[in-house]
Amino acid sequence: MANSVNPEDLEILPSPLLAVLNDLHSQYKSLNEGTLANYIPELAKVNPDLFSICIATVDGKIYQVGDYQQTFTIQSISKVFAYGLALEDHGRDYILTRVGVEPTGDAFNAIILDEPSKRPYNPMVNAGAIAITSLIKGSGPTERLNRVLEMFQRYTGQDALVDISVFTSERSTGHRNRAMAHLMLNFGMIDHNIEEALDLYFQQCAVMVNCPDLAVMAATLANKGINPVTGKQAVNNLYIKDILSVMYTCGMYNFAGEWAYKIGFPAKSGVCGGIMAVVPRKMGIAVFSPLLDVRGNSVRGVKVCEELSQRLQLHLFECSGED
Ligand code: GLU
């Protein structure tokens, strides 16, 4: 691809920020609590020791430590970007009639809809994400998948590929997601072709990224939708506040409230063990470590973000530091 960026070419700077990341990496690499997301058989095979942390700034600098070349499937973090594409395809008003913006306080895979609207609660839980993915425009499954992959390429600056084993593993076992799709079909909240919508949802979840990719994607959201490495617009700036608002209130499973209170910037977690966080107008942060707590958040990832928030005074409502 003409505009793709080789990770080897990115500017890697020795800096106080890199020293902080190295420090956090050594501090938390011995933390081995949590479990792999074994409800998707392929994810149960991942090496639990993998650990990387990466920051991308809005001026395109990359700071990375640990296993940052390791790829993994993006899982739920994809929901953020699919939401942006659906907003671009249909506009805010229509999307709001299909999927709400209320946190649930329930697990990400709860089989619930909002009464009486029958909308899924928000686009960051599975039901909402499946409904959002079903709205992505295209003349057929191939064009829709291509549009999703091209969208990921705009955010990362790299070719986007689907991990076929993870995709088929989830497609053959994802009966809970299938049940949600049937419930939404029953209420007319999703189109009749639910297997096509589920395939695209499982494919978007199985897109492969590494930690620097996620950090650049987050930095793009921090930078008015412009990828700070390629300089290309990845998503219309009109929708950044919609995307970041639902990430802030709903992005960290049923830990979203405590996350907003303690850590204080928008983030999205995935059962791959990735956490992607956005500090608006400053940076994107990504952590990858596959061992998850009971809510589905990476154990080390939460700790690293908590420390980064404190050490760098990143909480959005922090008033005590200098500007
Ligand atoms: N593909 C996963 C599922 O639908 C994503 C869940 C997640 O990362 O939260 O169960």
Side-chain angles (χ1 to χ4, degrees):
M1 203 177 71
N3 296 313
S4 71
V5 176
N6 183 339
E8 305 300 321
D9 297 337
L10 296 175
E11 195 180 358
I12 313 297
L13 303 176
S15 77
L17 198 45
L18 192 58
V20 171
L21 299 192
N22 273 314
D23 195 29
L24 292 176
H25 192 270
S26 10
Q27 187 177 339
Y28 289 112
K29 72 170 182 257
S30 55
L31 176 61
N32 289 314
E33 289 161 22
T35 49
L36 292 169
N38 51 17
Y39 77 98
I40 301 175
E42 277 301 299
L43 293 190
K45 299 181 186 165
V46 171
N47 174 358
D49 298 328
L50 292 167
F51 185 22
S52 47
I53 313 174
C54 184
I55 285 182
T57 60
V58 293
D59 55 358
K61 297 189 180 74
I62 313 280
Y63 305 85
Q64 53 199 10
V65 299
D67 303 303
Y68 56 83
Q69 284 171 327
Q70 176 68 43
T71 56
F72 50 92
T73 55
I74 189 167
Q75 297 301 331
S76 262
I77 302 170
S78 64
K79 292 170 179 168
V80 168
F81 306 101
Y83 186 50
L85 188 56
L87 283 165
E88 288 182 319
D89 277 357
H90 299 277
R92 181 179 300 131
D93 292 344
Y94 180 72
I95 291 295
L96 265 178
T97 67
R98 312 297 297 184
V99 178
V101 288
E102 286 305 324
T104 64
D106 287 306
F108 65 94
N109 55 4
I111 306 180
I112 45 165
L113 298 176
D114 175 45
E115 292 289 344
S117 73
K118 309 295 185 209
R119 290 175 308 173
Y121 275 88
N122 69 67
M124 301 290 110
V125 291
N126 284 13
I130 294 165
I132 287 293
T133 298
S134 78
L135 292 170
I136 288 170
K137 285 187 177 167
S139 58
T142 308
E143 189 178 321
R144 281 192 278 277
L145 175 61
N146 284 339
R147 289 193 69 230
V148 168
L149 296 177
E150 280 157 19
M151 169 199 73
F152 282 119
Q153 285 164 14
R154 290 195 294 277
Y155 280 100
T156 63
Q158 313 284 333
D159 286 344
L161 297 171
V162 172
D163 182 324
I164 299 297
S165 355
V166 174
F167 162 56
T168 49
S169 176
E170 196 174 8
R171 181 165 59 170
S172 55
T173 56
H175 306 305
R176 206 180 162 95
N177 286 327
R178 204 159 271 117
M180 280 170 220
H182 277 282
L183 185 65
M184 291 189 284
L185 175 65
N186 176 63
F187 289 119
M189 298 310 285
I190 193 171
D191 176 282
H192 65 282
N193 209 333
I194 52 177
E195 284 305 326
E196 250 179 55
L198 284 164
D199 271 0
L200 187 55
Y201 170 74
F202 294 141
Q203 282 161 332
Q204 80 176 44
C205 287
V207 164
M208 292 187 282
V209 288
N210 59 24
C211 206
D213 289 336
L214 276 189
V216 171
M217 294 167 97
T220 300
L221 294 172
N223 188 41
K224 303 179 182 170
I226 300 168
N227 179 321
V229 176
T230 64
K232 299 255 152 85
Q233 192 85 40
V235 59
N236 191 326
N237 189 22
L238 262 184
Y239 299 116
I240 295 290
K241 74 176 188 326
D242 307 62
I243 298 170
L244 294 183
S245 303
V246 290
M247 278 175 75
Y248 194 61
T249 52
C250 313
M252 296 300 292
Y253 303 129
N254 39 340
F255 184 64
E258 206 169 322
W259 174 280
Y261 183 83
K262 278 194 187 158
I263 297 171
F265 41 75
K268 183 73 196 88
S269 201
V271 294
C272 50
I275 295 181
M276 178 194 80
V278 177
V279 186
R281 292 174 293 281
K282 290 191 177 139
M283 64 180 79
I285 300 171
V287 187
F288 169 58
S289 169
L291 290 177
L292 309 178
D293 63 21
V294 285
R295 288 147 165 153
N297 293 314
S298 164
V299 175
R300 289 173 180 159
V302 170
K303 289 281 181 203
V304 166
C305 290
E306 196 170 343
E307 287 248 3
L308 276 174
S309 174
Q310 282 163 13
R311 290 201 200 185
L312 307 179
Q313 299 217 312
L314 297 177
H315 197 298
L316 291 182
F317 307 128
E318 178 67 64
C319 300
S320 57
E322 288 166 27
D323 279 343

